[in-house]
Structures are given as structure tokens and as C-alpha cells.
């Protein structure tokens, strides 16, 4: 369905009025621009004319204001990761960069009580077998660094930035990494057993053969992540977003998937024995060869 100019949106129950120009011009490669470009079929409520999007509408006004005037809002620190997840969902790449810039600036201005800064980390990784076990690195920007093989076990990594970092074979055993950002990071063969990653952003991350056994992954975003052969036994994936993720050959034995979004995910040859899938969204998921013996559907 094509739109002349005005657009009526229902975002998780919150209603918004805007225009096609607003949704398509500032970020033409975004999901919203694609939806209202006229290239795709968009379903409207036949009585109200509203287009429904199944997302929390809490921050959508900030999304619209960004599309209108290019301004990143001034928010409380805890709200930036929430807005970042929404920007990631709508594929608003410039807004994502703007949010990270605001978060980094705030971290520079505030005393976070961290034991090391980015410069210290860069000096450390020039040596082999770097161990940062139990260190407080909350809020630190470690994006784009080569941190492969670093041992972060038991560290405090809340709201820490690892976007596009190389963390292959790094150890995160029992870390507290709540709301941390691992967007597009390389996490192949990483050790995350027992880690708290509640609300973390791991969209586009490479987690091949990573060990996430017993990890808290509640409210995490794994959109488009590579989780092939990952170990997710007994992990808590409640409300996690795994839309489009590749979980081929992953072991999800005993994992909790209540309200998890697995739309379009690749679950070929995944181990799902005795997993409760009754409240899991598997629309369009590929389950060829998956072990579903005893799974509750």
C-alpha cells in the first residue's frame, strides 16, 4: 500500500502521526524508509488507518525527532542503551553513531570509578596473556580494539563498549556486563559461562562456538548475530531478540526461551530437546534437521 503524505503509526500501543518524507529522507537505508518507500506492502488497520509495529513505543518520539531534525536527545544514562536498541532495530545507522557519541562524551565527563582507562588498556594489550580478572571497567570505551585472548573473568563491565572489537577467544566467565554493547564484535570461541549480559546489545556479533552456558541473556539483542555451534545450555534467553540470527548447530538444551523472538532464525541442526517453545516466536525460522525430541510446542 502506498502513502500520499501523512502516516499514522501504532508503536506497541502508542500512536504517532508523521509524514512519508520524515520517515524516508534522513536515513534512506533504514527499515522505516524501506517500509514507506512504496516498494513494500504495508498493512494498515482498515478502520483507523494506523500501521502497527510491535515494538515498545517509549522512545519512538526520539526516533521521530531524530528523523525530523537530526538531534540526538539528552537522556538519563540508563536510557541511552534502550534508545540504541531501538535505533538498531529500525536500522538507523547514523542515529546509532550519534547515541554512542553522546554516551562516550558522558563517560568522559563523569567519574565512573573505573580502575583503568582506554589508554591503559591499549598499553596492556601490547603484551601477551593479558589478564583483567575482577577489574572494574564499567562504561569504558573499548570499541575497535584487538582484545583477543584477554581474560576479563569476574570483571565489572556494565555499560562497556566493545563495538567492532576483536575479542576472539577472550574470557568473560561470570562477568557482570549488563547493558554492554558488543555490536558487530568478533566473539568467536569466547567464554561467557555464568555471565550476566542482561540487556546487552550483540546485534551482528560473531559468536561462533562461543560458550554462553548458564549465562543471563534476558532482554539481549542478537539480531543477525552468528551463533553457529554456540553453547547455550541452560542460558536464560527470556525476551531476547534473535531475529535473523544464525543458530545452526547451536546447543540450546535446557535454555529458557520465554517470549524470545526467533523470527527468521536459522535453527538447522540445533539441539532443542525438551525445550519449551510455547511462548517463542518461530515465524519463518528454519528448523531442518533440528533435534526437537521432547520439545514442547
Amino acid at each position: 500500500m502506498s502513502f500520499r503524505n501523512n502516516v499514522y503509526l501504532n508503536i506497541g500501543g502508542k500512536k504517532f502521526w508523521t509524514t512519508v518524507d520524515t520517515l524516508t529522507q534522513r536515513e534512506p537505508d533504514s527499515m522505516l524508509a524501506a517500509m514507506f518507500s512504496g516498494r513494500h506492502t504495508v498493512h494498515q488497520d482498515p478502520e483507523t488507518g494506523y500501521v502497527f509495529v510491535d515494538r515498545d513505543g517509549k522512545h519512538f518520539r526520539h526516533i521521530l525527532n531524530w528523523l525530523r531534525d537530526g538531534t540526538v536527545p539528552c537522556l538519563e544514562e540508563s536510557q541511552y542503551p534502550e534508545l540504541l536498541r531501538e535505533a538498531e532495530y529500525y536500522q538507523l545507522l547514523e542515529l546509532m553513531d550519534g547515541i554512542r557519541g553522546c554516551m562516550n562524551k558522558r563517560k568522559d565527563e563523569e567519574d565512573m570509578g573505573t580502575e583503568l582507562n582506554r589508554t591503559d588498556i591499549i598499553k596492556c594489550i601490547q603484551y601477551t596473556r593479558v589478564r583483567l580478572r575482577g577489574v572494574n571497567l564499567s562504561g569504558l570505551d573499548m570499541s575497535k580494539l584487538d582484545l583477543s585472548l584477554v581474560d576479563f573473568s569476574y570483571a565489572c563491565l556494565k555499560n562497556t563498549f566493545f563495538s567492532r572489537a576483536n575479542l576472539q577467544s577472550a574470557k568473560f566467565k561470570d562477568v557482570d556486563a549488563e547493558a554492554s554493547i558488543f555490536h558487530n564484535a568478533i566473539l568467536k570461541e569466547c567464554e561467557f559461562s555464568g555471565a550476566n549480559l542482561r540487556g546487552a546489545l550483540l546485534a551482528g556479533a560473531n559468536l561462533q562456538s562461543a560458550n554462553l552456558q548458564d549465562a543471563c541473556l534476558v532482554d539481549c539483542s542478537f539480531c543477525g548475530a552468528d551463533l553457529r555451534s554456540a553453547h547455550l545450555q541452560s542460558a536464560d534467553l527470556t525476551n531476547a531478540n534473535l531475529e535473523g540470527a544464525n543458530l545452526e548447530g547451536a546447543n540450546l538444551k535446557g535454555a529458557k526461551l520465554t517470549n524470545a523472538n526467533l523470527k527468521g532464525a536459522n535453527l538447522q541442526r540445533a539441539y532443542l530437546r525438551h525445550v519449551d517453545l510455547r511462548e517463542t516466536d518461530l515465524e519463518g525460522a528454519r528448523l531442518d534437521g533440528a533435534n526437537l525430541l521432547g520439545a514442547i510446542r
Side-chain angles (χ1 to χ4, degrees):
M1 179 175 293
S2 61
F3 295 83
R4 292 183 179 179
N5 190 29
N6 292 336
V7 177
Y8 306 100
L9 296 169
N10 181 345
I11 312 297
K14 292 184 180 293
K15 295 181 179 179
F16 301 88
W17 292 5
T18 187
T19 66
V20 171
D21 287 347
T22 294
L23 296 171
T24 59
Q25 290 187 357
R26 184 170 299 279
E27 299 227 31
D29 296 322
S30 70
M31 186 188 84
L32 290 169
M35 284 177 65
F36 296 99
S37 64
R39 301 191 303 269
H40 302 283
T41 300
V42 177
H43 298 287
Q44 289 178 286
D45 186 301
E47 296 182 1
T48 66
Y50 278 89
V51 176
F52 178 73
V53 180
D54 190 13
R55 296 292 292 180
D56 189 340
K58 176 181 177 181
H59 294 298
F60 195 74
R61 67 184 182 91
H62 299 311
I63 298 287
L64 283 181
N65 286 336
W66 161 260
L67 293 172
R68 288 167 178 147
D69 54 33
T71 301
V72 180
C74 183
L75 303 174
E76 294 181 7
E77 182 181 330
S78 62
Q79 293 183 320
Y80 277 117
E82 297 175 5
L83 181 59
L84 186 60
R85 282 193 289 276
E86 294 306 300
E88 185 270 332
Y89 175 80
Y90 294 112
Q91 299 172 26
L92 298 164
L93 302 184
E94 291 183 26
L95 176 56
M96 290 168 64
D97 288 341
I99 295 168
R100 292 193 193 100
C102 288
M103 295 173 76
N104 288 340
K105 182 179 179 181
R106 183 164 295 188
K107 295 300 184 295
D108 290 340
E109 293 173 349
E110 297 177 357
D111 178 9
M112 296 297 295
T114 55
E115 298 175 48
L116 298 171
N117 57 34
R118 183 181 174 91
T119 302
D120 294 329
I121 298 297
I122 292 172
K123 290 178 181 177
C124 286
I125 60 179
Q126 296 175 20
Y127 305 95
T128 58
R129 299 183 63 82
V130 178
R131 300 178 69 184
L132 297 170
R133 294 165 65 94
V135 177
N136 180 8
L137 301 171
S138 298
L140 199 62
D141 180 7
M142 291 191 277
S143 58
K144 300 181 182 179
L145 295 180
D146 184 354
L147 300 163
S148 54
L149 300 172
V150 174
D151 188 352
F152 293 97
S153 298
Y154 313 107
C156 184
L157 302 171
K158 289 184 177 181
N159 299 296
T160 301
F161 289 82
F162 291 104
S163 296
R164 297 182 176 84
N166 178 11
L167 291 151
Q168 182 165 343
S169 300
K171 294 181 180 179
F172 293 90
K173 179 177 174 61
D174 291 316
V175 298
D176 186 355
E178 185 170 344
S180 284
I181 308 297
F182 291 91
H183 183 256
N184 285 338
I186 299 172
L187 296 160
K188 291 177 65 176
E189 301 172 354
C190 279
E191 173 66 53
F192 281 100
S193 59
N196 175 22
L197 288 160
R198 181 183 292 268
L201 176 62
L202 297 109
N206 184 340
L207 287 143
Q208 287 184 49
S209 302
N211 183 7
L212 294 138
Q213 187 169 349
D214 297 312
C216 175
L217 306 173
V218 176
D219 295 322
C220 282
S221 173
F222 290 95
C223 290
D226 187 347
L227 286 149
R228 285 176 291 171
S229 301
H231 303 278
L232 291 153
Q233 300 97 306
S234 302
D236 189 349
L237 286 151
T238 300
N239 297 323
N241 188 357
L242 293 123
E243 185 168 353
N246 189 350
L247 290 130
E248 183 175 353
N251 188 344
L252 290 125
K253 180 181 179 181
K256 188 173 182 180
L257 292 166
T258 306
N259 294 323
N261 177 10
L262 283 156
K263 287 182 180 178
N266 180 7
L267 288 158
Q268 293 178 301
R269 293 180 290 282
Y271 191 95
L272 293 160
R273 290 185 65 174
H274 304 293
V275 175
D276 189 342
L277 299 170
R278 287 175 297 183
E279 298 179 60
T280 305
D281 191 342
L282 291 164
E283 181 183 346
R286 300 173 62 186
L287 291 159
D288 317 51
N291 189 336
L292 292 160
L293 184 65
I296 306 172
R297 303 177 67 182

